[in-house]
Amino acid sequence: MTGAQRRAQLIDVGRALFALRGLDGTTIEEIAAAAGVSKPVIYEHFGSKEGLYTQVVDVEFHILLRSVTTALAGDAGSRELLERAALALLDYIENSTDGFRILMRDAAPSQPEGAFSTLLSRIAARVEHIMAAEFEKRGYLPQDGAIYAQMLVGMVAMTGQWWLDARQPDKRTVAAHLVNLAWNGLSGLSIDPQLRSA
């Protein structure tokens, strides 16, 4: 195996074990045994178990961020962009279940605040301009788009976490319900919402 092939193999093996047991529950010996290498090979490529974990998180982080960013690109209308983003997350969960479990589970040493929360913040920043434009078009304050971007991303992310294990109904149905709540909720927004309780 070339160095690049070995590195890729170790990332794949690490992803599977970290998804199953987490960072603390996985030993360097287990990774080495599963990859059919000695511990020094892992140290040579990543420096430590934490170094491997950080690399796995980084790879998954960028795969999901790229997927959602791509879904939000283009000249589509706001509703279609929302549909694309919801489906992008559900596609990632379906096709990279281990990666999603890792992003949700442990904070990598390089991201003490947590990979998933960092990812959600980045996605919300990309959604914010879409929400601001939609708000302005409807006569609302564009700066309120930031608040609603956080709400929207949080709603999709929490539903994705639930669907990770439920897997029912199918992802297109889940995405349709997400969009139904978000879009129809947006269509009935009050320009100046107030709490009714004291």
Side-chain angles (χ1 to χ4, degrees), residues 61-77:
F61 182 93
H62 285 96
I63 289 170
L64 181 52
L65 184 61
R66 186 172 43 248
S67 175
V68 174
T69 300
T70 300
L72 292 172
D75 294 330

Side-chain angles (χ1 to χ4, degrees), residues 145-189:
I147 299 168
Y148 286 88
Q150 293 290 332
M151 292 177 202
L152 185 59
V153 169
M155 179 180 75
V156 173
M158 290 303 293
T159 303
Q161 288 180 13
W162 165 80
W163 191 72
L164 175 66
D165 294 319
R167 298 299 172 114
Q168 290 294 322
D170 65 272
K171 69 182 173 192
R172 292 191 61 82
T173 302
V174 172
H177 282 286
L178 276 167
V179 172
N180 182 41
L181 175 61
W183 192 258
N184 291 321
L186 288 173
S187 67
L189 285 181

Side-chain angles (χ1 to χ4, degrees), residues 13-158:
V13 168
R15 179 187 300 110
L17 290 171
F18 293 138
L20 186 63
R21 295 189 188 99
L23 174 60
D24 293 334
T26 303
T27 66
I28 198 86
E29 291 82 7
E30 290 171 319
I31 297 166
V37 300
S38 63
K39 291 191 301 184
V41 172
I42 297 169
Y43 295 129
E44 176 187 327
H45 284 279
F46 302 101
S48 65
K49 175 181 76 167
E50 290 76 14
L52 172 58
Y53 186 80
T54 297
Q55 186 62 48
V56 169
V57 168
D58 191 58
V59 167
E60 293 303 320
F61 182 93
H62 285 96
I63 289 170
L64 181 52
L65 184 61
R66 186 172 43 248
S67 175
V68 174
T69 300
T70 300
L72 292 172
D75 294 330
S78 299
R79 182 180 173 124
E80 187 178 340
L81 290 174
L82 177 58
E83 289 175 3
R84 288 182 193 173
L87 278 171
L89 176 64
L90 295 172
D91 282 342
Y92 174 79
I93 292 169
E94 183 175 63
N95 298 323
S96 189
T97 300
D98 284 350
F100 189 70
R101 286 190 197 285
I102 290 166
L103 289 177
M104 286 176 23
R105 178 179 276 151
D106 302 314
S110 64
Q111 292 176 315
E113 69 280 7
F116 197 55
S117 62
T118 301
L119 180 71
L120 294 182
S121 294
R122 290 233 187 127
I123 292 170
R126 289 187 163 86
V127 170
E128 186 177 329
H129 75 279
I130 296 167
M131 297 298 289
E134 190 65 33
F135 274 35
E136 190 168 29
K137 186 168 48 171
R138 293 171 181 248
Y140 303 124
L141 296 174
Q143 60 267 32
D144 286 345
I147 299 168
Y148 286 88
Q150 293 290 332
M151 292 177 202
L152 185 59
V153 169
M155 179 180 75
V156 173
M158 290 303 293

